[in-house]
Amino acid sequence: MDGLLPELEVIRKDFPILERTLAGGMPLVYLDSANTSQKPQVVIDTMVDHLERHNANVARAMHQLGAESTEAFEGARDKVAAFIGAPERDEVIFTKNASEALNLVAQTLSFPGERQLRPGDEVVTTEMEHHSNIVPWQLVTQRTGATLRWFSLTDDGLLDLSNIDELITERTKVVTLTWVSNMLGTVNPIAEIARKAHAVGALVVVDASQAAPQLPIDLAGMDPAERPDLLVFTGHKVVGPTGIGVLWGSREVLEALPPFLGGGEMIATVSMEGSTYAGIPHKFEAGTPPIVEAIGLGAAVEYLGHIGLDAIHRHERTITDYALEGLQSIPGLTVLGPRDASGPRGGAISFELAGVHPHDIAQVLDSRGVAVRAGHHCAKPAHARFGVQSSTRMSSYLYTTPAEIDALVEALDYTRSYFKVG
């Protein structure tokens, strides 16, 4: 099949969990990578090696282990900066996940400073966001008296840009949106929206949690008018560990934002009368950071870099196209979101099967070794837009094979017969 990674079987051997056999002797078919990706052996080994041989706190211990740990931690920052094409490595800030990164941005915009939100200001988001890019902005607009507005969705699951001139105005201070929807798979026109937002002086915040695993990102290579001011993603979706996230921001913006948390390593000096703060990135990394998780993330993005994000993207599009074709052959099944993989679409596919609850679908599929997600996927407003409370979601990644999609389709046919629908 054209577009698949040519070394797919070799890549699958890098992921030990994919060799598992589940209860009943069924081989694991893992189709929940939008939730969390599986981890290659190199990430596991890198983290174990650090804990076994180099464990020490960073930037504090004046001994060999401390120097080794600091070098590995800051080396991970270099790898992440290279992965997203950051203009400067110090613009990369480690957080515990994308949610914390988004909260950092939202909350610091409520603190006194040149970017502080005030009554009359507006924050614009979209109806397809993960809750992590809705709730922090609800909290900050309630606290500051600013107003939250949003783009709605078309019936095809795309952003409705017909009223963009009414939504993004001189009152707009922040436009915050996902690059790729975790529910619909929609790929949003970041460049177009950023250009419009920057024209009115607004900050652009992009949630790249679903984009970073499958789209090549080159921030330095982007037209400055079309580049986000701040971008976040999480480690566990890019074959890295949990407990580690990334906030990238332009130096100008990060230096203008006040600290988010106070504590060790984010200070320059401290006295009882007051404190001064370290420069970026350390200004936003208070306390002992997730050291081994950051090092694991560095190994993860380096692994993806060796394979190549362009190749991974082609593989995702090929598998997604094959999955859409297979799913739409099942009577009573409705895909939520774009149905054409050749258009603006990522690898997550949410669907309904008439007459069967998503939780029942997931449970029957699990009995046949197929792991998918069922629920609202932390995207309740997007589900409400389509008049449903929940859906079943399959999501592929670089290790997914056409045979696994065949297993999904077969398991869904079995589900229909099991519940005697259609």
Side-chain angles (χ1 to χ4, degrees), residues 2 6 13 20 91 95 111 115 124-125 139 178 183 197 208 213 221 262 277 290 301 308-310 342 353 382 400:
D2 292 342
K13 287 181 170 47
R20 272 204 63 178
E91 295 172 334
T95 61
F111 299 162
R115 292 285 187 175
V124 176
T125 187
L139 292 171
T178 185
M183 173 200 163
Y277 308 115
V301 298
L309 266 294
D310 287 318
S342 64
L353 184 59
T400 305

Side-chain angles (χ1 to χ4, degrees), residues 234-293:
T234 191
H236 69 97
K237 298 184 195 296
V238 291
V239 304
T242 56
I244 184 70
V246 171
L247 166 64
W248 170 84
S250 71
R251 174 175 288 276
E252 177 185 5
V253 171
L254 291 177
E255 288 182 341
L257 295 178
F260 178 48
L261 299 174
E265 297 308 316
M266 53 75 65
I267 57 90
T269 62
V270 175
S271 69
M272 296 308 297
E273 291 73 32
S275 301
T276 58
Y277 308 115
I280 63 169
H282 305 295
K283 181 171 75 168
F284 296 105
E285 293 180 351
T288 297
I291 299 167
V292 72
E293 290 84 358

Side-chain angles (χ1 to χ4, degrees), residues 84-236:
I84 58 175
E88 298 182 39
R89 53 98 61 193
D90 285 347
E91 295 172 334
V92 171
I93 294 160
F94 287 128
T95 61
K96 69 182 181 184
N97 47 43
S99 296
E100 183 179 70
L102 288 164
N103 275 274
L104 185 161
V105 174
Q107 294 303 317
T108 54
L109 289 173
S110 73
F111 299 162
E114 60 184 272
R115 292 285 187 175
Q116 183 181 16
L117 292 170
R118 295 177 171 83
D121 292 341
E122 295 181 351
V123 175
V124 176
T125 187
T126 86
E127 208 171 19
M128 70 171 64
E129 300 304 308
H130 190 283
H131 297 164
S132 293
N133 204 28
I134 296 175
V135 178
W137 300 105
Q138 290 175 335
L139 292 171
V140 76
T141 52
Q142 291 165 6
R143 183 175 298 122
T144 62
T147 301
L148 184 65
R149 306 183 70 193
W150 54 88
F151 288 98
S152 59
L153 306 181
T154 69
D155 292 341
D156 293 331
L158 305 178
L159 283 186
D160 182 357
L161 301 179
S162 61
N163 62 339
I164 189 171
D165 290 331
E166 287 74 44
L167 277 175
I168 300 179
T169 70
E170 69 281 353
R171 295 183 298 278
T172 306
K173 302 304 177 186
V174 179
V175 177
T176 181
L177 75 160
T178 185
W179 196 328
V180 180
S181 167
N182 75 307
M183 173 200 163
L184 302 169
T186 307
V187 179
N188 286 321
I190 296 299
E192 176 185 353
I193 293 171
R195 184 175 288 277
K196 180 69 177 177
H198 287 150
V200 298
L203 287 177
V204 177
V205 181
V206 169
D207 178 1
S209 296
Q210 297 293 333
Q214 58 184 302
L215 298 180
I217 299 175
D218 181 11
L219 292 165
M222 297 175 73
D223 183 330
E226 299 176 348
R227 181 170 59 213
D229 300 289
L230 300 137
L231 178 142
V232 311
F233 68 96
T234 191
H236 69 97

Side-chain angles (χ1 to χ4, degrees), residues 301-317:
V301 298
E302 190 173 48
Y303 174 85
L304 294 180
H306 288 321
I307 296 171
L309 266 294
D310 287 318
I312 292 170
H313 182 51
R314 285 193 300 272
H315 180 86
E316 278 280 88
R317 288 176 70 94

